[in-house]
């Protein structure tokens, strides 16, 4: 077991974990809400270091990150566990594993080996993904340090519930993040995701931007739960105030886990919400999980020229030259190297 980063010792062998905004106070022998951090006699340990439950080489577009090293491969890893309990989690078998089975699973896979395999696979980045990387923070940060030394970038695919202290540690190591902004309603976050508060997610997004992390956002639109156009407008306004160049991915829901009684999102709803984002002044708004939709492409925010044509996660055409639109010369916000 690895001693945890970011915790405080309290009286009577208790500790407080300061990694995510739940800030669990744990007495001796107790596990955190995430199920993967345990207080043993006044010392907090990560139970998932370095135990990978899933690994794969993915296109960076799958994260989704459309404006960060486009067309490259990301070496992706995850451990079991999550601090959220989303009723529609696509990866619930691994994210909820510690709580469902009361144990930890995973292959011993140390940071040095992760980086070695990422290099061998020709990946330009390592993505900490599939489950919530915040809860395997020590593993991710230690791997990220070695990756940096080898010219590999690091990416979090996250629910954005880490503390400001955690973001301070990420700065300079984690280059990009796709943050799930699941809703703009506290009631949604509380009921659907397990006692979560929206405010902390918004603060993380703003602070990551402040710290120089490239940020893209994803919102999965679930019929009857967060498909309200007024709510979409509020999300768009928040993004605009934070930075209109933040790419926003509007994703189509398919029934899964505990929400199998809800039908898939109508494509029209996803397209309408994309238009709401564009009308609010956002420069890059995408549709997700709608294969072949024109919302998968990147257009020049000034003249509307088609710049990057995609089919799913594949780039079919890229006409951006020197980070600019070839037609009107507008600078396109993108991290190339
Ligand atoms: S990371 Fe886990 S233990 Fe720490 S505060 Fe969050 S839920 Fe609690």
């Amino acid at each position: 077991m690895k001693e945890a980063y970011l915790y405080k010792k309290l009286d009577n062998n208790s500790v407080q974990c300061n990694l995510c905004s739940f800030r669990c106070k744990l007495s001796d022998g107790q596990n955190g809400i995430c199920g993967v951090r345990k207080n043993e006699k006044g010392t907090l340990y990560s139970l998932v270091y370095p135990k990978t439950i899933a690994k794969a080489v993915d296109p960076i577009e799958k994260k989704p990150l459309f404006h960060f090293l486009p067309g490259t491969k990301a070496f992706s890893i995850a451990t079991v566990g999550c601090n959220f309990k989303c009723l529609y989690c696509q990866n619930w078998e691994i994210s909820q594993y510690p709580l469902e089975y009361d144990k930890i699973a995973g292959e011993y896979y140390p940071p040095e080996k992760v980086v070695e395999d990422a290099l061998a696979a020709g990946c330009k980045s390592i993505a900490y993904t599939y489950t919530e990387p915040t809860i395997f923070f020590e593993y991710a940060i230690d791997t990220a340090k070695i990756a940096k030394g080898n010219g590999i970038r690091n990416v979090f695919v996250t629910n954005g519930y880490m503390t400001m202290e955690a973001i301070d540690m990420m700065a300079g190591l984690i280059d990009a993040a796709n943050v799930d902004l699941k809703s703009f309603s506290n009631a949604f976050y509380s009921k659907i995701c397990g006692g979560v508060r929206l405010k902390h997610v918004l603060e993380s997004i703003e602070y990551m931007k402040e710290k120089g992390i490239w940020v893209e956002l994803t919102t999965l639109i679930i019929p009857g739960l967060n498909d309200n156009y007024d709510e979409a407008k509020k999300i768009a306004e928040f993004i605009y105030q934070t930075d209109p160049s933040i790419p926003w991915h509007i994703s189509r829901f398919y029934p899964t886990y505990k929400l199998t009684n809800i039908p898939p999102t109508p494509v029209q709803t996803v397209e309408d919400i994309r238009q709401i984002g564009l009308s609010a002044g956002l420069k890059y708004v995408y549709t997700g999980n709608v294969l072949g939709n024109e919302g998968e492409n990147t257009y020049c925010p000034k003249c509307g020229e088609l710049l990057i044509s995609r089919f799913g996660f594949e780039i079919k055409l890229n006409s951006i030259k020197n980070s600019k639109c070839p037609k009107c010369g507008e600078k396109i916000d993108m991290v190339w190297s």
Side-chain angles (χ1 to χ4, degrees), residues 36-76:
V36 298
R37 297 169 83 75
K38 185 174 188 185
N39 176 5
E40 291 264 13
K41 299 187 175 62
T43 301
L44 185 65
Y45 291 99
S46 163
L47 304 178
V48 289
Y49 190 106
K51 295 173 188 160
T52 296
I53 194 72
K55 63 180 172 190
V57 173
D58 290 331
I60 191 81
E61 283 77 11
K62 193 177 174 184
K63 302 299 120 192
L65 285 169
F66 280 12
H67 288 243
F68 183 81
L69 308 179
T72 64
K73 291 184 285 182
F75 196 81
S76 305

Side-chain angles (χ1 to χ4, degrees), residues 17-24 26 32-34 37 83 135:
C17 178
N18 288 318
L19 181 52
C20 91
S21 290
F22 282 118
R23 295 193 189 267
C24 297
L26 307 171
I33 288 172
C34 56
R37 297 169 83 75
N83 48 355
I135 62 91

Side-chain angles (χ1 to χ4, degrees), residues 148-224:
K148 272 270 158 178
N150 284 276
I152 294 187
R153 301 291 195 96
N154 296 287
V155 167
F156 263 32
V157 181
T158 174
N159 57 33
Y161 215 56
M162 66 284 279
T163 59
M164 303 299 116
E165 301 96 289
I167 295 173
D168 282 335
M169 282 189 77
M170 288 161 61
L173 283 175
I174 304 302
D175 302 283
N178 185 296
V179 184
D180 236 1
L181 180 49
K182 296 170 190 284
S183 161
F184 216 69
S185 141
N186 245 324
F188 178 102
Y189 265 107
S190 178
K191 284 186 205 149
I192 308 293
C193 305
V196 176
R197 293 176 66 200
L198 165 68
K199 150 183 178 308
H200 296 306
V201 180
L202 301 181
E203 285 167 356
S204 290
I205 292 166
E206 289 169 336
Y207 197 50
M208 278 187 222
K209 284 297 293 179
E210 211 178 301
K211 287 292 181 180
I213 296 171
W214 178 261
V215 172
E216 302 194 18
L217 302 177
T218 298
T219 305
L220 183 78
I221 305 297
I222 308 171

